[in-house]
Amino acid sequence: MTEITRVPLRPIAKGSLAKLWIGVILALLVAAGVAWAAVPGGVKVTELEAGNGTSPQIGDVVFIDYVGKLPDGKTFDQSQPSPFPPGILPPGTPMLLEDRQMIPGFVEGLQRTEKGGKYRIEIPSDLAYGDSPPPGAPIPPNSDLVFDVTVNDFMSREDAERRVQMLQQMMMQQQGGAPGAAQAPDSAPAGN
C-alpha cells in the first residue's frame, strides 16, 4: 500500500522557533495592555495633607469643607459655613456617609480619608452623575468630578443626632420654651 497522504515536513530554520516565541509573548503583552486600558478607572484619592486616626465608615456623619470642580477647574459647588454654633458640633458641612445620600464616588472617597486631613478626590463620571446630572446643575453629562476636601471630624449618626437634640433643647430654653421655636431636623444632616 502506498502512502498518498503523507506530506514531508521541512525542518524549522535556525532561529525561527525563538522568533515564534517572541511573537507569542508580544501578542500576550499587547492583549494585556488593551485589557488594562479597557478597565474603567475608579475613585482616586490624593492626600494633600496627612490626617490622623481612623477613617469614617458608612453610617457616620462627616464634617467637611469642600470645593467641587469640573475637570476644567470650574467650581460647581462648595461648602458653606456651618449654621450651628461652635462647640456642639464640629465645624464644616455635615454629611451622612450613606449610599443614596451622596454620589457613590464621594462615599467611596470619604471612606479613604482621615480626620484632620486634606484630600483631592477625583471621581469618574460613572461613579458621579453619569449621563443624568441634577436638573439645572452646571455639571455636563458624563463629566468627571474633582473635590478638594478637608475632613474636620466625623462621628456616629447617633452621636450627631444626640448633639442636634441638645442644640434644640438649648434653643428652646433660650426662647423660654415658646411655641413655634426653631426645630432641629429629625435626622442628622446629609449632603450632596
Side-chain angles (χ1 to χ4, degrees):
M1 186 165 19
T2 56
E3 295 184 33
I4 301 174
T5 58
R6 182 180 236 183
V7 177
L9 296 176
R10 294 184 184 168
I12 297 177
K14 189 174 187 178
S16 295
L17 188 57
K19 291 177 186 175
L20 176 66
W21 279 109
I22 290 173
V24 168
I25 291 170
L26 285 175
L28 289 173
L29 288 174
V30 168
V34 168
W36 180 79
V39 173
V43 174
K44 180 180 175 188
V45 178
T46 305
E47 183 179 80
L48 304 176
E49 191 175 300
N52 55 35
T54 60
S55 299
Q57 301 299 314
I58 296 294
D60 287 342
V61 177
V62 185
F63 297 84
I64 63 173
D65 293 317
Y66 69 91
V67 176
K69 299 178 186 176
L70 299 173
D72 65 4
K74 181 181 175 188
T75 298
F76 66 86
D77 190 17
Q78 64 186 31
S79 58
Q80 301 299 314
S82 175
F84 303 109
I88 303 277
L89 292 169
T93 300
M95 295 192 168
L96 179 59
L97 193 58
E98 283 188 356
D99 292 332
R100 298 190 185 121
Q101 296 295 320
M102 57 183 83
I103 58 176
F106 206 58
V107 172
E108 180 182 332
L110 284 176
Q111 291 180 80
R112 293 166 37 193
T113 65
E114 294 178 345
K115 176 182 173 181
K118 294 184 180 184
Y119 303 88
R120 174 160 293 137
I121 301 174
E122 298 174 53
I123 304 171
S125 66
D126 61 323
L127 293 174
Y129 295 107
D131 60 0
S132 304
I139 302 170
N142 299 311
S143 180
D144 296 342
L145 304 178
V146 178
F147 289 90
D148 290 328
V149 177
T150 301
V151 180
N152 298 319
D153 204 350
F154 63 91
M155 63 184 64
S156 70
R157 180 179 183 161
E158 294 77 21
D159 190 22
E161 288 173 344
R162 184 181 55 75
R163 290 179 185 213
V164 167
Q165 287 174 353
M166 281 178 24
L167 179 62
Q168 180 183 16
Q169 290 172 355
M170 287 174 49
M171 290 173 60
M172 288 183 71
Q173 287 175 353
Q174 286 179 351
Q175 294 178 1
Q183 297 291 316
D186 290 336
S187 64
N192 280 3

